[in-house]
Amino acid sequence: MAASISSPPRGGFLLPAMAASFCAGIVAATHLMRLRDRERLRKAASRTQKNLMRSSRFGIDVAKFIPFRFQKKQKVVVLGAGSFGTSMAFVSQTAGNETIIYMRDPKQCEAINRQGRNPKYLTDHSLRIEGADNQIRGICTLEDLEKELTPGVVIIHALPCQLTPPWFAEHKDIIPRDALICCTCKGLYLETNQLMSHAILDALDRVDQPLAFLSGPSFAEEIMRGFPTTLVVTSDSSFHAVRVQQLMSNFRTVRVFVSDDPIGVQLGGALKNPLAVGAGMISGLGFGTNTLS
């Protein structure tokens, strides 16, 4: 009697095929989005390249005529006085900028102004900069924040990722249209499954708001302790990215590099967290390098 051959269950090949097709679609969509943004960056860079690079034809540094390059002080307003916001304010002040940090707690604000320390985060570190003409100044009311958000200001946004779009939607009327917003939060906006660049513009209801994104391995405690730290900044406009690079690099402990890939930097910042959690689980289970790889 011939042996019967069992047929594969219905749908046994359908689900893997659907999964593979879905993954391929995601990869293709991401690739097209990156191509679109890179082309947009290329066009923007072509307009500003003569101002950002040394001219070999005339033998002079044309970039020195950019008003932000050698300007001694720029006004930087840091939104959020948590650990990372505090460290970003410290880096900005160390680089010689006029730095204001906004928080909601009046007692925390008073301690920063009077004692030069954040009583909630990084309490062991002084925010006073020796030899600086001005020190980090704290504010805690929306009225004061609106006064400080003058045209051309640089905003370092250091609030949690999921609170970022709602905050901008609620306070968009006090954000100048020419203010450069540098976002430091890493992740996707889960309510709409958007990148921060898209979610912020939707929240502000603007398409031309200058945006930049600061990312990289940067624990606040190590920044405050003066450990050498490298970051990356990216933007649709190379001019905005270089501006953030100039005002946040103190060339002693913090160095910022420029990238022309906003989507890649944002996705990298968002995806590193689940990968780090998985690596920790593997290590906790006692597995080795093979499993981690």
Side-chain angles (χ1 to χ4, degrees):
M1 183 176 180
S4 60
I5 301 176
S6 60
S7 60
R10 294 184 178 181
F13 300 104
L14 181 60
L15 290 178
M18 292 177 61
S21 177
F22 176 79
C23 293
I26 292 295
V27 172
T30 303
H31 179 65
L32 290 176
M33 291 174 67
R34 295 181 67 175
L35 287 178
R36 178 203 64 188
D37 278 66
R38 286 187 175 183
E39 176 64 17
R40 188 166 56 188
L41 278 170
R42 185 192 64 79
K43 292 179 180 179
S46 66
R47 295 192 298 267
T48 58
Q49 186 177 17
K50 62 181 180 180
N51 294 327
L52 300 175
M53 299 184 65
R54 184 176 297 276
S55 172
S56 58
R57 180 177 180 181
F58 299 103
I60 60 174
D61 188 3
V62 184
K64 68 180 181 181
F65 298 106
I66 298 178
F68 297 115
R69 181 177 177 87
F70 292 108
Q71 183 174 330
K72 291 185 178 179
K73 292 183 180 179
Q74 296 188 54
K75 176 180 279 190
V76 177
V77 177
V78 180
L79 301 179
S83 294
F84 201 72
T86 301
S87 67
M88 289 294 98
F90 183 78
V91 169
S92 171
Q93 187 66 28
T94 304
N97 304 297
E98 177 189 359
T99 307
I100 300 98
I101 185 167
Y102 169 75
M103 67 221 71
R104 295 183 298 177
D105 189 345
K107 294 182 179 180
Q108 184 184 18
C109 180
E110 182 180 4
I112 289 177
N113 290 330
R114 290 192 176 185
Q115 304 171 13
R117 292 181 184 273
N118 189 332
K120 290 187 174 182
Y121 304 93
L122 304 172
T123 56
D124 294 333
H125 299 280
S126 174
L127 301 180
R128 303 289 188 188
I129 308 297
E130 295 184 6
D133 296 334
N134 299 306
Q135 300 296 336
I136 296 173
R137 182 159 48 90
I139 57 176
C140 59
T141 66
L142 286 175
E143 290 77 12
D144 288 340
L145 178 61
E146 185 174 5
K147 292 178 182 178
E148 298 295 346
L149 293 179
T150 53
V153 69
V154 177
I155 300 173
I156 305 295
H157 184 80
L159 296 179
C161 188
Q162 303 310 313
L163 299 181
T164 294
W167 192 94
F168 278 115
E170 183 178 354
H171 304 97
K172 61 183 178 182
D173 293 336
I174 68 174
I175 305 294
R177 289 185 172 271
D178 63 345
L180 172 55
I181 300 173
C182 180
C183 186
T184 65
C185 61
K186 303 177 179 70
L188 305 176
Y189 186 46
L190 298 180
E191 184 173 330
T192 57
N193 295 325
Q194 287 180 301
L195 294 170
M196 278 294 108
S197 55
H198 301 155
I200 291 175
L201 292 179
D202 286 351
L204 292 172
D205 196 20
R206 304 170 190 172
V207 297
D208 56 348
Q209 185 74 45
L211 291 179
F213 295 88
L214 191 67
S215 188
S218 49
F219 289 107
E221 173 74 24
E222 297 186 6
I223 291 177
M224 298 299 294
R225 294 176 64 182
F227 290 2
T229 302
T230 56
L231 303 172
V232 62
V233 63
T234 184
S235 174
D236 283 343
S237 167
S238 57
F239 178 78
H240 297 321
V242 171
R243 185 181 176 190
V244 174
Q245 179 193 41
Q246 293 292 329
L247 68 89
M248 294 300 287
S249 292
N250 60 25
F251 298 101
R252 291 191 296 272
T253 60
V254 176
R255 181 66 187 270
V256 181
F257 294 90
V258 173
S259 169
D260 63 351
D261 188 3
I263 290 181
V265 170
Q266 291 179 80
L267 288 177
L271 295 176
K272 73 170 182 60
N273 292 325
L275 292 177
V277 172
M281 294 173 62
I282 291 172
S283 178
L285 290 171
F287 296 121
T289 305
N290 289 352
T291 309
L292 187 62
S293 300

